[in-house]
């Protein structure tokens, strides 16, 4: 932080992380500086002090995590972190992803064991197996919802964390999954004669970030969150990288850290 404001509660030189799910007035994060303006209460939720002083040299992402027998659809960073946290809480996990690149990344980076990672195409081999199925895909399509319902045991829970749109329904039911996700509700429904609970999670809170820092510090072997970083680039390389990714020429399965020179 290079400027805190006289009544913000923050000081210059403090290391902080920004929670994008809280939306005070702010500029884009794709710049050398981010300007954030809001009430003291908004800033307290949106800006989280980083207790790990050397984090700039060992960058990792303190995103939200979540935790019986858990199936997760989507092996991106959030899905992988949910799997870590579920294991930490004593659950067994299986993560399903269509693309091989992210499955290989999770195994090679020792984020998950090989026997915890599956192709989404093999999901039918695990029908009715999970107490909780988390949908952490970028887009929650009807096809993904059908796979999740098939994976879930009777009276189990489908948790929707991935992207939904206004008016989206849970398959043939009238359960509005967009409202459930955004308002973090729980609804009971029935699908093809099977009782299910549908619940949602939307973003994270300051306490989630703080829990991430604590878990990483106290349990580094269980939460090797720095391994979620695919590569580190300099700020002047960013535009070229975005264009190559947009053109389909390259992609990364994990986070891309963009370093800026503050000197």
């Amino acid at each position: 932080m290079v400027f805190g404001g006289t009544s913000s509660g923050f000081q210059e030189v403090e290391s902080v992380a920004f929670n994008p799910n809280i939306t005070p007035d702010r500029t884009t994060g794709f710049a050398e500086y981010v300007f954030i303006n809001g009430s003291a209460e908004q800033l307290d939720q949106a800006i989280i002090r980083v207790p790990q002083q050397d984090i700039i040299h060992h960058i990792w992402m303190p995103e939200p995590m979540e935790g019986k027998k858990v199936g997760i659809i989507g092996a991106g960073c959030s899905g992988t972190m949910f799997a870590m946290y579920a294991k930490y809480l004593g659950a067994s996990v299986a993560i399903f992803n269509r693309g091989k690149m992210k499955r290989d990344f999770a195994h090679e980076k020792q984020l998950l064991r090989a026997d915890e990672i599956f192709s989404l195409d093999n999901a039918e081999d695990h029908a009715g197996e999970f107490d909780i199925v988390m949908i952490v895909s970028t887009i929650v399509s009807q096809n993904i919802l059908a796979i999740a319902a098939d994976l879930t045991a009777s009276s189990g829970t489908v948790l929707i964390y991935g992207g939904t749109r206004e008016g989206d329904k849970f398959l043939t039911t009238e359960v509005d999954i967009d409202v459930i996700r955004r308002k973090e509700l729980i609804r009971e429904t029935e699908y093809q004669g099977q009782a299910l609970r549908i619940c949602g999670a939307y973003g994270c809170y300051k306490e989630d970030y703080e829990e991430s820092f604590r878990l990483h510090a106290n349990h580094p072997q269980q939460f090797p969150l720095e391994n979620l970083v695919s590569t580190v680039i300099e700020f002047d390389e960013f535009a070229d990288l975005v264009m190559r990714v947009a053109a389909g020429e390259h992609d990364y399965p994990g986070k891309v850290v963009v370093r800026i020179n503050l000197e």
Side-chain angles (χ1 to χ4, degrees):
M1 178 171 288
V2 297
F3 174 74
T6 57
S7 59
S8 69
F10 293 90
Q11 305 295 324
E12 291 182 31
V13 311
E14 282 188 304
S15 294
V16 297
F18 176 62
N19 179 2
N21 299 288
I22 307 298
T23 53
D25 294 333
R26 63 180 176 90
T27 57
T28 177
F30 299 113
E32 188 170 356
Y33 295 98
V34 181
F35 296 89
I36 306 169
N37 178 58
S39 66
E41 291 77 13
Q42 285 178 312
L43 294 176
D44 182 62
Q45 274 292 326
I47 303 172
I48 300 92
R49 290 178 176 85
V50 178
Q52 183 180 330
Q53 295 305 311
D54 65 341
I55 194 170
I56 195 66
H57 303 296
H58 305 280
I59 290 177
W60 52 278
M61 308 296 170
E63 295 186 2
M65 309 179 217
E66 216 135 315
K68 319 176 163 180
K69 192 162 188 179
V70 176
I72 299 170
I73 299 176
C77 292
S78 293
T80 302
M81 293 171 75
F82 287 153
M84 291 182 198
Y85 196 54
K87 290 171 65 176
Y88 170 74
L89 294 176
S92 62
V93 302
I95 194 163
F96 298 85
N97 198 79
R98 198 178 302 282
K100 187 173 184 294
M101 181 172 64
K102 288 186 177 180
R103 301 199 308 267
D104 290 346
F105 180 78
H107 181 219
E108 291 164 4
K109 288 282 192 170
Q110 299 183 330
L111 299 165
L112 295 168
R113 302 193 313 264
D115 62 354
E116 296 170 331
I117 307 167
F118 301 90
S119 169
L120 189 62
D121 295 335
N122 300 127
E124 60 186 19
D125 298 334
H126 301 269
E129 197 170 298
F130 301 99
D131 302 295
I132 302 168
V133 173
M134 301 179 180
I135 304 177
V136 198
S137 53
T138 304
I139 301 297
V140 181
S141 67
Q142 292 297 301
N143 180 56
I144 292 294
L145 288 170
I147 293 172
D150 289 341
L151 288 170
T152 309
S154 183
S155 300
T157 298
V158 176
L159 184 146
I160 299 172
Y161 184 82
T164 57
R165 296 171 297 185
E166 184 177 353
D168 280 356
K169 297 293 195 295
F170 184 80
L171 300 170
T172 57
T173 75
E174 289 302 309
V175 175
D176 190 319
I177 59 173
D178 188 59
V179 171
I180 284 176
R181 181 176 74 93
R182 295 180 187 278
K183 295 188 176 183
E184 300 191 326
L185 305 174
I186 301 175
R187 293 286 184 267
E188 294 186 355
T189 190
E190 186 175 298
Y191 173 70
Q192 294 188 344
Q194 178 180 357
L196 293 172
R197 285 186 296 272
I198 313 299
C199 65
Y202 185 67
C204 57
Y205 300 94
K206 174 184 177 182
E207 293 77 13
D208 298 311
Y209 283 81
E210 293 171 338
E211 175 77 343
S212 294
F213 286 122
R214 183 188 69 79
L215 290 169
H216 181 268
N218 295 342
H219 309 282
Q221 300 302 315
Q222 290 175 272
F223 295 94
L225 302 182
E226 62 277 8
N227 289 356
L228 286 165
V229 175
S230 279
T231 190
V232 179
I233 65 171
E234 301 302 322
F235 186 65
D236 58 6
E237 301 175 84
F238 178 68
D240 179 64
L241 179 142
V242 169
M243 295 303 294
R244 287 190 288 114
V245 170
E249 297 172 5
H250 199 72
D251 199 3
Y252 292 96
K255 296 286 187 180
V256 175
V257 174
V258 182
R259 291 196 183 277
I260 56 175
N261 185 4
L262 297 179
E263 297 179 358

